[in-house]
Amino acid sequence: MAKFIYLDNAATTPCDPRVVKAMLPFFTEKFGNASSLHQAGRETRSAIDSSRDIVAKFFNVEPEEVIFTGSGTEADMLGVKGILEGVHDRTGKTHVITSAIEHKAVLNLVYDLEKRGFQITVLPVDKYGRISPDDVKKAITGYTALVSIMAANSEIGTTQPIKDIGKICREKGVFFHTDAVQLVGKVKIDLQEDLIDALSLSAHKFHGPKGVGALIVRKNVPLRPQILGGGQEKRRRAATENTPGIVGLAAALQLCEEYLEKPKDKMVLGDYLVERVLKEISGSILNGHPDKRLRTHVNFSFPGVEGESLLLRLDLEGVCASTGSACSAGSLEPSHVLLACGILPELANCSLRLTLSRDTTKKEIDQAIIILKKVVAELREMSVL
Ligand SMILES: *Cc1c(COP(=O)(O)O)cnc(C)c1O
């Protein structure tokens, strides 16, 4: 029996042991700097090249369209600020469009860009957290350089009409970046078919190592590097390559392929959790879209039960959950995503996020439901007193 039931896979996932195994030689025997011309360096270079090929194939792009970064956050920075500045340098365009439910990696970045003279439009979402492609269309002006809309939300799991948005951007001659950190590894993404110009991903969200991500960016997209120094990543991201991380990222992605083909089990398990909680815990509300969602991501509100207290009580009982994004946890601020969906702060503060992974078992879900029912009942009783 594991020491806890881990239902916080949107915050991070355990690294797959097969991924760790693929990484290990690159800490010790195969430690060369990929920029070195000797055989130790060439060995590492070749491992990075193969990893890049794997990632490129996965998203149906060319290997040189893959830029490895140090995180999903950094991929977002390069994908949003790097493209905006790249386009601005060439055309003078100053406008970026994004949404109110983006990850803080994008939101705080665009607010900072606004302070420095760029124009931003932060689009609203409907009560399910969906962005309307029509709103995107209306927001595009002659000054718009870039649209950045996340593929799937980390807090409520809602997925976006990415291809429709991509199509609008193509028609208007505007570049389209998507933060796909939560979607990658769960749903097939083809950059060409889905009309995406740039996409961010992070290995630790799909059973890879922490501290490595990638920006996939099409050849025709102007990009201003954000980390200057050596000529690594074709002068688009300086710093000695994190070889173990890159090898791990590619290995983790390759393993996902196997799970993409039969995602049914987990879909059923996530839906099973939703069904049972809605039925067995009175007054519970499912946040996010009822079906345009990641099946692994479940977010409830339990009116009268404060989310932080619920989280702490669940933790004592051995269930790891979240009230929203890990970054805003502990800050007691209601989630910006739930507020953007029009959920009142009182109710947003009563939310609980449970996120599954391919490792989650039915036994764990059954156990978690028993504990959740007990804890919610106890907290409701206390709040009545
Ligand atoms: C986790 C996450 C990020 C940040 O990725 P890191 O590798 O942790 O920096 C960005 N966007 C979304 C949607 C995420 O879930």
Side-chain angles (χ1 to χ4, degrees):
M1 184 70 186
K3 51 185 189 298
F4 46 68
I5 298 174
Y6 186 76
L7 295 176
D8 198 14
N9 288 282
T12 194
T13 55
C15 199
D16 191 298
R18 291 168 288 182
V19 171
V20 177
K21 192 157 172 246
M23 291 170 71
L24 279 177
F26 294 93
F27 289 101
T28 49
E29 311 103 77
K30 304 184 182 181
F31 61 86
N33 185 319
S35 299
S36 301
L37 296 176
H38 47 63
Q39 55 177 308
R42 287 199 307 273
E43 184 174 53
T44 315
R45 167 63 53 209
S46 131
I48 293 174
D49 287 346
S50 315
S51 302
R52 200 185 305 281
D53 289 346
I54 291 168
V55 178
K57 193 155 163 269
F58 192 91
F59 294 103
N60 191 23
V61 298
E62 301 292 320
E64 60 269 26
E65 295 177 314
V66 176
I67 304 174
F68 292 113
T69 65
S71 63
T73 301
E74 192 200 323
D76 280 340
M77 170 124 174
L78 192 56
V80 175
K81 188 158 171 273
I83 294 176
L84 179 61
E85 291 179 346
V87 176
H88 179 255
D89 288 349
R90 280 201 198 170
T91 64
K93 290 181 179 178
T94 50
H95 182 218
V96 58
I97 298 168
T98 189
S99 86
I101 59 158
E102 297 299 312
H103 190 272
K104 289 285 163 81
V106 169
L107 269 183
N108 285 340
L109 178 62
V110 296
Y111 290 137
D112 189 63
L113 287 167
E114 186 180 34
K115 278 190 218 143
R116 295 179 40 243
F118 287 96
Q119 276 89 52
I120 67 166
T121 298
V122 179
L123 294 175
V125 293
D126 68 14
K127 63 176 175 172
Y128 301 121
R130 288 269 287 186
I131 287 136
S132 140
D134 213 41
D135 284 351
V136 176
K137 196 179 206 165
K138 284 186 201 138
I140 295 175
T141 72
Y143 294 101
T144 310
L146 176 72
V147 171
S148 178
I149 302 287
M150 77 195 317
N153 188 269
S154 40
E155 295 189 38
I156 52 176
T158 300
T159 50
Q160 301 299 338
I162 286 309
K163 197 172 174 177
D164 296 341
I165 296 170
K167 190 154 171 267
I168 289 166
C169 292
R170 276 294 144 88
E171 283 165 11
K172 298 269 187 181
V174 170
F175 293 111
F176 176 42
H177 165 263
T178 186
D179 174 342
V181 171
Q182 292 291 335
L183 196 72
V184 167
K186 300 187 183 90
V187 175
K188 178 80 196 147
I189 307 173
D190 178 321
L191 255 73
Q192 305 204 38
E193 205 164 283
D194 296 333
L195 308 173
I196 297 165
D197 295 307
L199 175 148
S200 302
L201 61 100
S202 175
H204 76 97
K205 302 289 175 77
F206 52 87
H207 302 274
K210 290 169 183 61
V212 60
L215 180 74
I216 319 292
V217 57
R218 302 309 311 275
K219 277 199 278 279
N220 60 317
V221 181
L223 190 74
R224 191 167 214 249
Q226 301 294 312
I227 299 181
L228 303 174
Q232 291 91 350
E233 300 297 289
K234 297 207 185 301
R235 305 200 166 276
R236 294 166 301 179
R237 199 271 186 182
T240 301
E241 295 87 343
N242 171 8
T243 318
I246 290 169
V247 167
L249 183 151
L253 203 54
Q254 216 164 16
L255 285 174
C256 287
E257 196 94 53
E258 171 190 326
Y259 294 91
L260 287 179
E261 286 163 9
K262 43 179 171 69
K264 271 227 158 100
D265 324 341
K266 291 312 160 199
M267 285 174 63
V268 173
L269 205 49
D271 290 348
Y272 168 76
L273 172 64
V274 172
E275 253 171 55
R276 278 200 58 191
V277 168
L278 290 182
K279 202 161 69 192
E280 297 174 34
I281 302 182
S282 69
S284 52
I285 299 161
L286 177 71
N287 298 315
H289 201 283
D291 54 76
K292 291 182 174 64
R293 59 181 303 114
L294 294 172
R295 254 59 208 177
T296 44
H297 288 41
V298 178
N299 189 308
F300 296 109
S301 283
F302 301 107
V305 181
E306 208 261 313
E308 299 281 329
S309 323
L310 183 53
L311 183 81
L312 296 175
R313 285 285 291 111
L314 285 174
D315 185 37
L316 286 175
E317 300 279 346
V319 177
C320 299
S322 163
T323 51
S325 70
C327 327
S328 52
S331 71
L332 280 179
E333 293 243 317
S335 138
H336 71 283
V337 174
L338 296 179
L339 294 183
C341 296
I343 295 168
L344 294 173
E346 307 89 271
L347 208 53
N349 272 328
C350 297
S351 71
L352 180 78
R353 181 184 76 177
L354 302 171
T355 45
L356 288 62
S357 82
R358 63 193 190 212
D359 296 335
T360 310
T361 63
K362 175 150 185 298
K363 211 172 142 196
E364 287 178 309
I365 293 296
D366 284 331
Q367 188 62 27
I369 292 171
I370 293 173
I371 295 168
L372 183 61
K373 279 164 70 172
K374 185 181 95 166
V375 171
V376 168
E378 282 170 10
L379 288 172
R380 277 183 173 161
E381 210 163 296
M382 272 168 60
S383 74
V384 170
L385 299 175

